[in-house]
Amino acid sequence: MDITRDISPLTEFKRDSARMIARMKETGQPQILTVNGRASVVMMDAALWQDMQDQLDHAEAIAGIRKGLAQAQAGEGAEAAQFFDQLTATK
């Protein structure tokens, strides 16, 4: 990210949105818009946003699997049959 190019006032975006969107799509970089000199909104290409969300979902799944494996190695948890028996008994 190039802060001299990728951070702009919202008023500039209102004046020249087509050019800024084209540049954002060309560079693949998000655009930060400011209001009263403070970062307010981050814009990015929808496909890039989806890719980022997919990567986040994948990382969260891997972290969950690692946590589960660590718990299993530490002897935490219960056998599946025992868990389902307890689940059925609480209904």
Side-chain angles (χ1 to χ4, degrees), residues 4-57:
T4 62
R5 192 178 70 187
D6 298 331
I7 298 177
S8 306
L10 179 60
T11 54
E12 181 182 337
F13 177 75
K14 288 178 182 179
R15 281 192 309 266
D16 204 3
S17 60
R19 181 186 60 81
M20 292 177 76
I21 290 172
R23 185 179 69 214
M24 187 177 47
K25 287 184 173 281
E26 177 185 317
T27 65
Q29 295 296 313
Q31 182 73 37
I32 298 172
L33 301 179
T34 62
V35 175
N36 296 325
R38 294 179 183 223
S40 181
V41 177
V42 176
M43 287 190 331
M44 65 188 314
D45 179 72
L48 292 173
W49 181 86
Q50 186 62 58
D51 287 344
M52 189 174 68
Q53 291 302 306
D54 293 345
Q55 290 176 16
L56 179 60
D57 289 345

